[in-house]
Amino acid sequence: MEQTGRPTSRMGRAALVGKGAAGMTAASDAAPRAGRAALAALLALACVLAVSLAVPPTSALAMSTNKATARPNEDGGNGVIGGEDTRLTWEGTVGGSEEVTSITLALPGDASFDGSTTRITVLDGLSRTSISGEATASGASIRVSFDDPIPADSLVRLEITNMRFPTAGGDYQVTGAYTTSAGGTADLDAAPAISIIANTPLQAAVNWLDQQEWVAAWNSVPFLGMFLKPQLLLTSFASLFPGWFVCLGIVLACYPFAIVLGLSFAMLKVSRRKALRAIAICYINILRGTPLFLQIYIMFFGLPMVGINIDNNVLGVIVMAVNSSAYLAEIFRAGIQSIPQGQYEAAASLGMNGFQTMTSIILPQTVRRVIPTVTSDFITSYKDTSLLSSVGVMELMMFSKNLTTTTGNITPYMAAAIYYLIVTLPLIKIVGIIESNIARSERGGGPRPRRRAGDAASQGSSEPERAPASSAGIPRAEAAKGAPATGVLAALSAPFVTHPTVELGGVADGE
């Protein structure tokens, strides 16, 4: 047993010696690794310190931009026009770690701070801090230097009056820089963009009017300044033009349909059938006996309730066409019944049926007689489109209403009246000319067509040819059917044209 235990103890001692040697080797290897790690950490710390010393403090540590706004300078509006004097208000907050000694604001393009005045307001919490300074403008930038540094956590407001934004218009941001009490300089955060309206030739004309003494004297009269302000009248013409275009489009689109409907119901009213006459009478009397305003409300608010939704402009055309057709039906009916009965008898003697008589004989004469009245009804319909503004159709009067609400002045309505007169006055003049021409022709006066030489030469040779034709028994109705269509067009256009005359002697018209 003892012999067996000795070798065992020797082996244990050898193992212990081996483990000790391995431990000493591992310890000797770990020491260099720890040294290298410590050295790397020291180098990293040194790099961080170097970078932190090299990089200047950011703007957020000392001053931040809150907002920048501009006062509207548009005459009669709420926009900011470039190239015109306005007021820029800039606000910023000083950070808790610095004090600010100066602030510089800048704008791009041809903006200008020259000739401006600056007001400085500093608030420390809810109390105002009295700090004065000096503003130095240099083109598109301005530097405001404070006599005393602005304390930390203070709000700074700069109100710069009589400065000008770029004339080209667009969205512009106020940028700049500031200087701290320690002498450091940093950039300001860009303020939210301010929308600027381009300075157009129209606005330049308005600015010219603003500088005229007679305009100031004109506007000093309360009535003239409220109803006929020159500057607002000029801008209203440009603003109301889209509404005038819609107004013209509605009446020009509705009137052809109104003529067709009116002529159709006029034919029904002169019909020999009682049922057709009853339909026409109900249609005409109901539409003529109720206000157009009520008809507009029924169409615009009643149709959607039954599931019929139509565009406002299209529905406006429909309402105006239906309303005008009732008045045109009475105009055409009166014109048809004004034709002498002898015209019907003469057409019957030529062998014409009722349709041929109406289309070739009666209607051409009717149209000539009703042209003045139809033109007057067109003028009325053109003015009645203003009622569509009550249901939101963006026509001339709706534009005028919105502009008057914005400006608080009645001048836009006067501009709308001028737009109406641009159409109605020439039409009234045309109606007068047509009426005088028709009156002369009804009296048998007026100009006579010139007889051409070819017609005079062929008149003698054509006489013998007419007798055989009539003796051959050719019906007069067939001859009427073969008449050229230009005869109807000539009859319709006669009131509008002036025929060349030839001196035939006798007593002149009107003597």
Side-chain angles (χ1 to χ4, degrees), residues 375-461:
T375 307
S376 299
D377 184 75
F378 177 85
I379 295 174
T380 303
S381 298
Y382 170 61
K383 294 184 297 182
D384 285 345
T385 56
S386 61
L387 296 176
L388 295 174
S389 63
S390 62
V391 289
V393 177
M394 294 303 296
E395 49 80 56
L396 183 57
M397 290 304 293
M398 190 65 178
F399 274 82
S400 304
K401 178 182 178 181
N402 293 342
L403 194 56
T404 298
T405 302
T406 303
T407 61
N409 197 287
I410 310 299
T411 302
Y413 282 117
M414 305 305 294
I418 295 175
Y419 269 124
Y420 282 113
L421 292 175
I422 289 174
V423 175
T424 57
L425 289 181
L427 287 178
I428 292 172
K429 181 64 176 178
I430 292 174
V431 169
I433 295 173
I434 294 174
E435 287 179 342
S436 61
N437 289 344
I438 291 177
R440 282 204 308 267
S441 64
E442 291 290 339
R443 295 195 306 265
R448 298 291 187 272
R450 184 187 299 274
R451 180 179 297 176
R452 291 179 294 184
D455 294 341
S458 62
Q459 184 177 3
S461 60

Side-chain angles (χ1 to χ4, degrees), residues 262-281 284 329-339 344 354 358 362-363 366:
L263 186 58
S264 301
F265 280 98
M267 299 300 294
L268 292 179
K269 193 169 183 179
V270 298
S271 174
R272 297 178 181 178
R273 299 179 181 273
K274 292 184 179 180
L276 298 180
R277 290 201 306 270
I279 294 175
I281 291 173
I284 294 171
E330 279 297 287
I331 292 173
F332 287 129
R333 191 269 312 161
I336 292 172
Q337 293 180 345
S338 69
I339 304 300
Y344 295 90
M358 185 61 66
I362 305 303
L363 287 183
T366 299

Side-chain angles (χ1 to χ4, degrees), residues 198-218:
N199 196 335
T200 60
L202 176 64
Q203 188 60 42
V206 173
N207 297 335
W208 179 82
L209 289 174
D210 289 336
Q211 300 172 0
Q212 303 304 309
E213 295 182 358
W214 67 268
V215 175
W218 176 282

Side-chain angles (χ1 to χ4, degrees), residues 24 51 81 123 126 144 193 218-219 226 314 352 358 372 432 446-447 461 505:
M24 292 177 63
V51 171
I81 301 174
L123 297 176
L126 298 178
V144 182
W218 176 282
N219 293 334
M226 177 60 68
V314 177
M352 292 184 177
M358 185 61 66
S461 60

